[in-house]
Amino acid sequence: MSNRMVLSYTNSFALFRPKFNGHSIPSIYHTDVLSLTRHVSSATALSFCQLQASKLHDSPVTVASDVRYGSKQIISVDSPLYDYILTNVREPKILRELREETATMRGSQMQVSPDQAQLLAMLVQILGAERCIEVGTYTGYSSLAVALVLPEGGHLVACERDGKVIEVAKRYYDRAGVSHKVDVRHGLAADTLKSLIQNGESCRYDFAFVDAEKKMYQEYFELLLQLVRIGGLIVVDNVLWHGRVSDPLVNDSKTLSIRNFNENLMKDNRVDISMVPIGDGMTICRKR
């Protein structure tokens, strides 16, 4: 997007955030690139106006907000595009039926999306995983996706504290013929993980998925690092937390927990990491 295009797109708009890339911007400001340079550098002004232009025109492409990244164009996943993505997800019939039943239940937003479940299953297959852990099972959609691709002798420990949703998950494990692969643990996940360690199962697991109490993420991660082998994966869900992690004005306890967890992962030399903007964001961690 050229400066001329940005100027034509951003003659007038309102801002509600006091900062952009660390720079203070007037809260209500009618501006273009040239006038904004009175307050911030030309690079910041241009990248800011590019971002606002893409928002104002509902473009499917967002321009990264910092020119240091080369004004990288990033696809914004709107409803039509996400519908297209879902048409390219190979969702087994049993998973679709579980997803549709879960959609009628309270808390259905906690279920991972079909594209997330497909990615989890693919990671398990690539890894050749045989022993897995899930922290936060809910009605079993993600654990069922994993169990379906585990070898016949595979083993998945599914941790869930809500007995009612466990019954739904067990029903679908039975229907899918994978109940013998899934060890459902009803109770607090941290207690279950500690018991596995105490039973001598450290470094015996290949793969773990975390989608549970956000304030407990760091504790879950520390326990799973003991249980997962070197080269194994720990995948953590909701790391983007509906975009709140990037908003400095949002500081509720769950957002702070996830933000702090993400910051800790960046500095953690015990793992290699890749944050993936799928669903509500997932970080894939490989234990070194």
Side-chain angles (χ1 to χ4, degrees), residues 255-281:
T255 301
L256 284 175
S257 294
I258 297 174
R259 189 180 291 148
N260 291 337
F261 175 74
N262 290 339
E263 291 174 0
N264 289 338
L265 271 187
M266 275 294 294
K267 299 178 288 187
D268 197 329
N269 293 324
R270 298 172 296 176
V271 291
D272 300 306
I273 63 171
S274 178
M275 181 181 284
V276 183
I278 183 173
D280 193 27

Side-chain angles (χ1 to χ4, degrees), residues 222-242:
E222 294 298 332
L223 293 169
L224 289 169
L225 267 182
Q226 298 179 58
L227 290 163
V228 170
R229 64 172 172 82
I230 293 175
L233 299 181
I234 303 172
V235 181
V236 185
D237 196 19
N238 301 116
V239 294
L240 298 181
W241 200 231
H242 316 297

Side-chain angles (χ1 to χ4, degrees), residues 15-46:
L15 304 179
F16 298 98
R17 296 185 183 178
K19 286 185 179 294
F20 174 75
N21 286 351
H23 300 280
S24 295
I25 305 274
S27 58
I28 299 294
Y29 199 83
H30 296 277
T31 190
D32 55 32
V33 173
L34 296 179
S35 57
L36 191 55
T37 55
R38 300 169 190 167
H39 300 269
V40 295
S41 69
S42 58
T44 298
L46 176 59

Side-chain angles (χ1 to χ4, degrees), residues 116-132:
Q116 284 182 294
Q118 180 175 253
L119 176 58
L120 293 174
M122 176 69 76
L123 292 173
V124 167
Q125 290 174 302
I126 292 171
L127 193 60
E130 296 185 2
R131 294 174 60 84
C132 304

Side-chain angles (χ1 to χ4, degrees), residues 59-63 72-78 81 85 277:
S59 170
V61 174
T62 298
V63 181
K72 174 67 177 178
Q73 292 188 338
I74 304 165
I75 293 294
S76 301
V77 181
D78 57 12
L81 184 56
I85 291 172

